[in-house]
Each structure stands twice: as C-alpha cells, then as structure tokens.
Coordinates of all heavy atoms in Angstrom, one line a residue:
A1 N -1.3 7.7 -9.6 CA -1.0 6.3 -9.2 C 0.4 6.3 -8.5 O 0.6 5.6 -7.4 CB -1.0 5.3 -10.3
N2 N 1.4 7.0 -9.1 CA 2.7 7.1 -8.5 C 2.6 7.8 -7.1 O 3.3 7.3 -6.2 CB 3.7 7.8 -9.4 CG 5.1 7.8 -8.9 OD1 5.6 6.7 -8.5 ND2 5.8 8.9 -9.0
K3 N 1.9 8.8 -7.0 CA 1.7 9.5 -5.8 C 1.0 8.7 -4.7 O 1.4 8.7 -3.5 CB 0.9 10.8 -6.0 CG 1.7 11.9 -6.7 CD 0.9 13.1 -6.9 CE 1.6 14.2 -7.7 NZ 0.8 15.4 -7.9
M4 N 0.1 7.9 -5.2 CA -0.6 6.9 -4.2 C 0.4 5.9 -3.7 O 0.4 5.6 -2.5 CB -1.7 6.2 -4.9 CG -3.0 7.0 -5.2 SD -4.2 6.2 -6.2 CE -4.7 4.8 -5.1
E5 N 1.2 5.4 -4.6 CA 2.3 4.4 -4.2 C 3.2 5.0 -3.1 O 3.4 4.4 -2.1 CB 3.0 4.0 -5.4 CG 4.1 3.0 -5.0 CD 4.8 2.5 -6.3 OE1 4.2 1.8 -7.1 OE2 6.0 2.8 -6.5
L6 N 3.7 6.2 -3.3 CA 4.6 6.9 -2.4 C 3.9 7.2 -1.0 O 4.4 6.9 0.0 CB 5.1 8.2 -3.0 CG 6.0 8.1 -4.2 CD1 6.3 9.5 -4.7 CD2 7.3 7.4 -3.7
A7 N 2.6 7.6 -1.1 CA 1.9 7.9 0.1 C 1.6 6.6 0.9 O 1.8 6.6 2.1 CB 0.6 8.6 -0.2
A8 N 1.2 5.6 0.2 CA 0.9 4.3 0.9 C 2.2 3.7 1.5 O 2.1 3.1 2.6 CB 0.3 3.3 -0.1
S9 N 3.3 3.9 0.9 CA 4.6 3.3 1.4 C 5.0 4.0 2.7 O 5.7 3.4 3.5 CB 5.7 3.6 0.4 OG 5.5 2.8 -0.8
K10 N 4.5 5.2 3.0 CA 4.9 5.9 4.2 C 4.0 5.6 5.4 O 4.2 6.0 6.5 CB 4.9 7.4 3.9 CG 5.9 7.8 3.0 CD 5.9 9.3 2.7 CE 6.9 9.7 1.6 NZ 6.9 11.1 1.3
V11 N 2.9 4.9 5.2 CA 1.9 4.5 6.2 C 2.6 3.5 7.2 O 3.2 2.6 6.8 CB 0.6 4.0 5.7 CG1 -0.3 3.4 6.8 CG2 -0.1 5.0 4.9
I12 N 2.4 3.8 8.5 CA 3.0 2.9 9.5 C 2.3 1.6 9.4 O 1.0 1.5 9.3 CB 2.8 3.5 10.9 CG1 3.6 4.8 11.1 CG2 3.2 2.5 12.0 CD1 3.4 5.5 12.3
G13 N 3.0 0.5 9.3 CA 2.5 -0.9 9.2 C 2.7 -1.4 7.8 O 2.5 -2.6 7.5
V14 N 3.1 -0.5 6.8 CA 3.3 -0.9 5.4 C 4.8 -1.1 5.3 O 5.6 -0.2 5.4 CB 2.8 0.1 4.4 CG1 3.1 -0.3 3.0 CG2 1.3 0.2 4.6
A15 N 5.2 -2.3 4.9 CA 6.6 -2.6 4.6 C 7.0 -2.2 3.2 O 8.0 -1.6 2.9 CB 7.0 -4.1 4.8
N16 N 6.0 -2.4 2.3 CA 6.2 -2.0 0.9 C 4.9 -1.9 0.2 O 4.0 -2.7 0.5 CB 7.1 -3.1 0.2 CG 7.5 -2.7 -1.2 OD1 7.6 -1.5 -1.5 ND2 7.6 -3.7 -2.1
A17 N 4.8 -0.9 -0.7 CA 3.6 -0.8 -1.5 C 4.0 -0.5 -3.0 O 4.9 0.2 -3.2 CB 2.7 0.4 -1.0
S18 N 3.2 -1.1 -3.9 CA 3.5 -0.8 -5.3 C 2.2 -0.8 -6.0 O 1.2 -1.6 -5.7 CB 4.4 -1.9 -5.9 OG 3.8 -3.2 -5.9
V19 N 2.1 0.2 -7.0 CA 0.9 0.4 -7.7 C 1.1 0.1 -9.2 O 2.1 0.6 -9.7 CB 0.3 1.8 -7.6 CG1 -0.8 2.1 -8.5 CG2 -0.1 2.1 -6.1
N20 N 0.3 -0.7 -9.8 CA 0.3 -0.9 -11.2 C -0.8 -0.2 -11.9 O -2.0 -0.6 -11.8 CB 0.3 -2.4 -11.5 CG 0.5 -2.7 -13.0 OD1 -0.1 -2.1 -13.9 ND2 1.2 -3.8 -13.3
F21 N -0.5 0.9 -12.5 CA -1.6 1.8 -13.1 C -2.3 1.0 -14.2 O -3.6 1.2 -14.3 CB -1.0 3.1 -13.6 CG -2.0 3.9 -14.4 CD1 -3.0 4.5 -13.7 CD2 -1.8 4.1 -15.7 CE1 -3.9 5.3 -14.4 CE2 -2.8 4.9 -16.4 CZ -3.8 5.5 -15.7
M22 N -1.6 0.3 -15.0 CA -2.3 -0.4 -16.2 C -3.3 -1.5 -15.7 O -4.3 -1.6 -16.3 CB -1.2 -1.0 -17.1 CG -0.3 0.0 -17.7 SD -1.2 1.2 -18.7 CE -1.7 0.2 -20.1
L23 N -3.0 -2.2 -14.6 CA -3.9 -3.2 -14.1 C -4.8 -2.7 -13.0 O -5.7 -3.4 -12.6 CB -3.0 -4.3 -13.5 CG -2.2 -5.1 -14.5 CD1 -1.4 -6.2 -13.7 CD2 -3.0 -5.7 -15.6
L24 N -4.6 -1.4 -12.6 CA -5.4 -0.8 -11.5 C -5.4 -1.7 -10.3 O -6.4 -2.0 -9.7 CB -6.8 -0.5 -12.0 CG -6.9 0.6 -13.0 CD1 -8.4 0.7 -13.5 CD2 -6.4 1.9 -12.6
K25 N -4.1 -2.0 -9.8 CA -3.9 -2.9 -8.7 C -2.9 -2.2 -7.8 O -1.9 -1.6 -8.2 CB -3.5 -4.3 -9.1 CG -4.4 -5.0 -10.0 CD -5.2 -6.0 -9.3 CE -6.0 -6.8 -10.3 NZ -7.1 -7.3 -9.7
M26 N -3.0 -2.4 -6.5 CA -2.0 -2.0 -5.5 C -1.7 -3.3 -4.7 O -2.5 -3.9 -4.1 CB -2.6 -1.0 -4.5 CG -1.6 -0.6 -3.4 SD -2.3 0.6 -2.2 CE -2.3 2.1 -3.1
K27 N -0.4 -3.5 -4.6 CA 0.1 -4.6 -3.8 C 0.7 -4.0 -2.6 O 1.5 -3.1 -2.6 CB 1.2 -5.4 -4.6 CG 0.7 -6.2 -5.7 CD 1.8 -7.1 -6.3 CE 1.2 -7.9 -7.5 NZ 2.2 -8.7 -8.1
V28 N 0.3 -4.5 -1.4 CA 0.8 -4.0 -0.1 C 1.4 -5.2 0.7 O 0.8 -6.2 0.8 CB -0.4 -3.4 0.7 CG1 0.1 -2.9 2.0 CG2 -1.0 -2.3 -0.1
E29 N 2.6 -5.0 1.1 CA 3.3 -5.9 2.0 C 3.2 -5.3 3.4 O 3.7 -4.2 3.6 CB 4.7 -6.2 1.6 CG 5.4 -7.2 2.4 CD 6.8 -7.5 2.0 OE1 7.2 -7.0 0.9 OE2 7.5 -8.1 2.7
F30 N 2.7 -6.0 4.3 CA 2.5 -5.5 5.7 C 3.7 -5.9 6.6 O 4.3 -6.9 6.4 CB 1.2 -6.0 6.3 CG 0.0 -5.7 5.6 CD1 -0.6 -6.5 4.7 CD2 -0.6 -4.4 5.8 CE1 -1.7 -6.1 4.0 CE2 -1.8 -4.1 5.2 CZ -2.3 -4.9 4.2
E31 N 4.0 -5.0 7.5 CA 5.0 -5.3 8.5 C 4.5 -6.4 9.4 O 3.3 -6.5 9.6 CB 5.4 -4.1 9.3 CG 6.1 -3.0 8.5 CD 6.3 -1.7 9.3 OE1 5.9 -1.6 10.4 OE2 7.0 -0.8 8.7
D32 N 5.4 -7.2 10.0 CA 5.0 -8.2 11.0 C 4.2 -7.6 12.1 O 4.6 -6.6 12.7 CB 6.3 -8.9 11.5 CG 7.0 -9.8 10.4 OD1 6.3 -10.1 9.5 OD2 8.2 -10.0 10.6
G33 N 3.1 -8.3 12.4 CA 2.3 -7.8 13.5 C 1.3 -6.7 13.2 O 0.6 -6.2 14.1
A34 N 1.4 -6.2 12.0 CA 0.5 -5.0 11.7 C -1.0 -5.5 11.6 O -1.2 -6.6 11.1 CB 1.0 -4.4 10.4
D35 N -1.9 -4.6 12.0 CA -3.3 -4.9 11.9 C -3.7 -4.5 10.5 O -3.8 -3.3 10.1 CB -4.1 -4.1 12.9 CG -5.6 -4.3 12.8 OD1 -6.1 -5.1 12.0 OD2 -6.3 -3.5 13.5
E36 N -3.9 -5.5 9.6 CA -4.2 -5.2 8.2 C -5.4 -4.3 8.0 O -5.2 -3.3 7.1 CB -4.5 -6.6 7.5 CG -4.9 -6.5 6.1 CD -5.5 -7.8 5.6 OE1 -5.1 -8.8 6.0 OE2 -6.3 -7.7 4.6
K37 N -6.5 -4.4 8.7 CA -7.6 -3.6 8.4 C -7.3 -2.1 8.8 O -7.7 -1.2 8.1 CB -8.8 -4.1 9.2 CG -9.4 -5.4 8.6 CD -10.6 -5.9 9.4 CE -11.1 -7.2 8.7 NZ -12.3 -7.6 9.4
A38 N -6.7 -1.9 10.0 CA -6.4 -0.6 10.4 C -5.4 0.1 9.5 O -5.5 1.3 9.1 CB -5.8 -0.6 11.8
V39 N -4.4 -0.6 9.0 CA -3.4 -0.1 8.1 C -4.1 0.3 6.8 O -3.8 1.4 6.2 CB -2.2 -1.1 7.9 CG1 -1.3 -0.7 6.7 CG2 -1.4 -1.3 9.1
M40 N -4.9 -0.6 6.3 CA -5.6 -0.3 5.0 C -6.5 0.9 5.1 O -6.7 1.6 4.1 CB -6.3 -1.5 4.4 CG -5.3 -2.5 3.9 SD -4.1 -1.9 2.7 CE -5.1 -1.3 1.4
K41 N -7.1 1.1 6.2 CA -8.0 2.3 6.4 C -7.1 3.6 6.3 O -7.5 4.5 5.6 CB -8.7 2.3 7.7 CG -9.9 1.4 7.8 CD -10.6 1.4 9.1 CE -11.8 0.5 9.2 NZ -12.5 0.6 10.4
E42 N -5.9 3.5 6.8 CA -5.0 4.7 6.8 C -4.5 4.8 5.3 O -4.4 6.0 4.8 CB -3.9 4.5 7.7 CG -3.0 5.7 7.9 CD -3.7 7.0 8.4 OE1 -4.7 6.8 9.1 OE2 -3.3 8.1 8.1

C-alpha cells in the first residue's frame, strides 16, 4: 500500500495521493486541468 502511494504520487496529473491500508482507500488530488480518467488509468 505504501509503495502504491509513492508510485501514484509520481504520476503526471496527480498533485497528491494517499493510501489508507486499513480502509482500503486511495485519495487522489488532481492537478488543475488534469484529465481525471487518463490520470487514473496511469
């Protein structure tokens, strides 16, 4: 989960990513103007 968080944070279009292993949730904050669907595919 920690490795996923680090990898997701490096994707272009992601301003911030955080993973909560206990809740099995990932919160993603997108950069302004980023295409959400394309970013999430990456």
